[in-house]
Amino acid sequence: MYILLANFSFLEIWYVTSTVPNMLANLLSETSTISFYGCFLQFYFFFSMGTTETFFLSAMAFDRYLAICRPLHYPTVMTVQRCIRIGAGCWVCGFSCFLLPVYLISQLPFCGPNIIDHFLCDPGPLMKLSCVPAPATEIICAIFNSVLIFSTFLFITSSYTLVIRSVLRVPSAEGRHKAFSTCGSHLAVVSLFYGSIMVMYVSPTAGNPAGIQKIVTLFYSVMTPFFNPLIYSLRNKEMKKALRKLFQIMRFGQRQPLKN
């Protein structure tokens, strides 16, 4: 689990780095420009890392399934070498899948004004800049996104369906609570990430207004990586204790000094 979490944390750092620095620079600059090749480079890395994240979330769901449903087989199945191979497979598959959409959109003719109504190079605004309608490219990209998103989401859902069935058979309430708490952080991250990308990329991009595209993209590209460390930290007892103290201070004000 910790090998996968380490890879996931490293991925989240670069996921944010691919867009946020350029976005902040554009907000502070009077000429918010990006080169053609720079735009498609950002497009490739941002969505490749997003695709890699779906694979890592699926791998983490499989890890939780083995830990809860097959606990005696877990040490022999999820060895360190196998975890490393799974992590490497997620990286390779994630950075290979989005080559086709990037190629298809880069082949469209762009004849001006070349103003992207977005804060990053997203496929929807890019296809709107094309000189000619590209319904085939849009449909192919929508199908590609739908297959990728739903296949990994169904895998995660299937894994947790088996986990829930197994947990409900645990006789003690304490055992059920411990099992659910093990999966709670991952389920919260999956809900945030998949909820936003399904709204954005499952349907053809022409049906989404520009304002909604920006809000949803901002949520899953900036806010979700911001919340993920907090979500996983809530499993830490020291973090929970510190948060309880903070809430008590916020509720009752400054604590009174102790008297002898």
Side-chain angles (χ1 to χ4, degrees):
M1 181 181 65
Y2 291 107
I3 293 176
L4 295 176
L5 277 176
N7 278 271
F8 187 74
S9 300
F10 181 75
L11 170 66
E12 292 277 90
I13 293 172
W14 288 106
Y15 184 59
V16 176
T17 305
S18 65
T19 56
V20 173
N22 186 71
M23 179 182 68
L24 294 177
N26 287 336
L27 291 175
L28 298 174
S29 175
E30 295 181 358
T31 57
S32 303
T33 60
I34 186 171
S35 67
F36 179 83
Y37 295 105
C39 179
F40 277 92
L41 196 64
Q42 183 192 66
F43 176 21
Y44 171 70
F45 277 101
F46 177 71
F47 286 95
S48 292
M49 283 184 279
T51 304
T52 305
E53 182 163 344
T54 64
F55 290 132
F56 268 112
L57 290 174
S58 301
M60 293 162 73
F62 178 68
D63 176 78
R64 295 300 83 203
Y65 160 76
L66 286 177
I68 294 175
C69 300
R70 298 287 186 271
L72 298 180
H73 296 88
Y74 184 83
T76 57
V77 175
M78 292 297 289
T79 60
V80 174
Q81 293 79 9
R82 185 158 294 166
C83 284
I84 294 174
R85 287 198 293 268
I86 290 174
C90 291
W91 285 102
V92 172
C93 293
F95 276 80
S96 301
C97 287
F98 241 86
L99 290 172
L100 177 61
V102 171
Y103 172 77
L104 291 176
I105 297 176
S106 66
Q107 298 306 303
L108 296 176
F110 299 100
C111 54
N114 293 344
I115 298 175
I116 302 176
D117 188 16
H118 214 295
F119 58 83
L120 58 84
C121 291
D122 195 76
L126 280 174
M127 283 189 280
K128 290 180 180 179
L129 297 181
S130 176
C131 301
V132 296
T137 301
E138 185 171 342
I139 292 173
I140 290 173
C141 291
I143 294 174
F144 179 86
N145 292 330
S146 299
V147 171
L148 176 65
I149 292 171
F150 279 113
S151 60
T152 53
F153 182 72
L154 288 175
F155 180 85
I156 295 172
T157 304
S158 301
S159 299
Y160 275 108
T161 300
L162 297 175
V163 167
I164 291 172
R165 288 179 56 187
S166 179
V167 170
L168 292 178
R169 295 173 184 171
V170 176
S172 65
E174 182 181 355
R176 290 194 296 270
H177 175 74
K178 184 177 180 180
F180 278 125
S181 64
T182 303
C183 307
S185 300
H186 184 253
L187 279 173
V189 172
V190 168
S191 300
L192 286 174
F193 184 73
Y194 275 90
S196 56
I197 64 174
M198 282 183 177
V199 172
M200 188 69 186
Y201 297 111
V202 170
S203 61
T205 53
N208 294 328
I212 295 178
Q213 287 186 11
K214 294 177 185 178
I215 293 172
V216 177
T217 304
L218 182 66
F219 183 81
Y220 79 80
S221 64
V222 179
M223 299 307 297
T224 300
F226 174 78
F227 286 123
N228 286 349
L230 299 177
I231 292 172
Y232 279 105
S233 297
L234 291 177
R235 292 187 58 198
N236 187 287
K237 293 181 180 179
E238 288 76 13
M239 179 65 72
K240 291 180 180 178
K241 186 177 179 181
L243 286 175
R244 280 195 292 267
K245 288 183 178 179
L246 178 63
F247 289 142
Q248 288 175 359
I249 294 174
M250 293 173 61
R251 182 178 179 182
F252 300 108
Q254 295 292 332
R255 289 177 292 181
Q256 298 296 325
L258 298 176
K259 296 181 180 180
N260 293 328

